[in-house]
Amino acid sequence: MAVLIVNTLPQNHPEALAAIRTLGEKAECRVMNVYEKQFRPCVGCNACWLKTPGICSIRDGYEEVLKAYLECDAAVFLAGTALNFVDHRMKHVIDRLLPLATMYIHIVDGQCRHVPRYDKEYRFGLLYAGTADGDYLNHWLDRVVLHLGGSSLGAFPIHQAKEVLSCI
């Protein structure tokens, strides 16, 4: 099982280091520390759908993360929190998932969904450091992954990294 860990916390964050160790005990992990990358937010230009399908128009290094999603069996995000939700770094990482889908919509179980660009079921989990509404984060992550044709591993406080492992 190949697990991609996208760490939006500082590289030496004690809870992040503990979570990475825990995940590494049960899976082959690739860690991408993106705290210093300063990924910009999606600007909604739709270039990844229309002009350069699958390729974001923003050139800030996020392409490496997009490619890594395609090479792993599951991805776990390590995120900080702000205002009872994920912080801006994590939100930018999630919003930039858009190139993994196409602009086309189809109906699945009575709801509109984007047609995935690649034949892959994405499996994403979230471990968050700080205070947040866990129920809301679970619902949010479920919806994000659902639109990509995947499944959620759940959202848990970062010290509960073993909970994500049980879902992989």
Side-chain angles (χ1 to χ4, degrees):
M1 171 79 47
V3 175
L4 173 66
I5 300 172
V6 180
N7 181 17
T8 66
L9 296 167
Q11 196 166 347
N12 60 352
H13 190 285
E15 291 177 305
L17 293 172
I20 291 167
R21 262 192 315 277
T22 299
L23 294 170
E25 291 172 1
K26 300 286 183 186
E28 176 188 330
C29 294
R30 175 182 177 190
V31 180
M32 297 187 84
N33 291 300
V34 299
Y35 180 83
E36 298 292 331
K37 299 274 189 192
Q38 301 296 322
F39 292 136
R40 294 185 307 202
C42 175
V43 295
C45 67
N46 292 332
C48 63
W49 284 348
L50 301 170
K51 291 183 181 179
T52 55
I55 300 170
C56 182
S57 66
I58 300 171
R59 300 289 183 226
D60 59 4
Y62 192 77
E63 306 83 28
E64 181 183 357
V65 181
L66 280 173
K67 289 176 185 176
Y69 294 134
L70 298 173
E71 297 167 353
C72 69
D73 297 312
V76 177
F77 302 104
L78 306 183
T81 58
L83 302 173
N84 220 24
F85 191 60
V86 295
D87 66 11
H88 69 284
R89 285 180 181 85
M90 185 66 224
K91 185 70 168 74
H92 294 336
V93 166
I94 291 294
D95 289 349
R96 298 281 296 279
L97 292 172
L98 210 51
L100 297 177
T102 67
M103 64 182 271
Y104 303 106
I105 302 290
H106 61 165
I107 306 296
V108 178
D109 297 328
Q111 296 185 35
C112 294
R113 300 281 178 265
H114 285 282
V115 175
R117 183 170 306 285
Y118 305 102
D119 186 23
K120 177 176 178 63
E121 181 183 341
Y122 300 99
R123 300 173 67 216
F124 294 149
L126 172 66
L127 295 172
Y128 57 91
T131 304
D133 182 341
D135 290 337
Y136 184 75
L137 286 178
N138 268 300
H139 176 72
W140 172 73
L141 186 62
D142 286 345
R143 299 301 296 180
V144 167
V145 180
L146 186 66
H147 281 288
L148 293 172
S151 59
S152 173
L153 303 174
F156 302 95
I158 198 165
H159 64 273
Q160 294 180 356
K162 288 186 179 183
E163 298 297 324
V164 170
L165 281 175
S166 66
C167 299
I168 294 178

